Amino acid sequence: PQLILTDPPYGVLDADHDRMTLKEIRSFCRAMSKIIHPSGTMLVFIPHHRLAEWTHALEEEFKIKGERKRRAQWNLRQVYET
């Protein structure tokens, strides 16, 4: 697909259905990296307190390096600061 738009469990409720472990986050990112079109876009709604985990998993599974990594970090910072 050209676009993946998802809203995974936030982990803010005290309920098992509202949590994703780091292993599940990595597994999710790995699966998405296999199906998304090379020029596609993925939008993931996540809570700010899980941002570091998701960023690391996305960088690893999507093999984001060099200039692409710098652009992704800039875009993330712009969204987070507004």
Side-chain angles (χ1 to χ4, degrees), residues 26-39:
R26 286 187 175 142
S27 177
F28 171 83
C29 292
R30 188 174 308 114
M32 295 301 102
S33 72
K34 291 178 181 179
I35 65 168
I36 195 165
H37 190 274
S39 64

Side-chain angles (χ1 to χ4, degrees), residues 51-69:
L51 190 58
E53 295 167 312
W54 276 91
T55 301
H56 185 67
L58 287 165
E59 288 173 353
E60 281 185 5
E61 299 305 331
F62 281 84
K63 313 286 189 268
I64 300 173
K65 301 177 194 169
E67 182 58 29
R68 285 182 64 210
K69 184 172 183 175

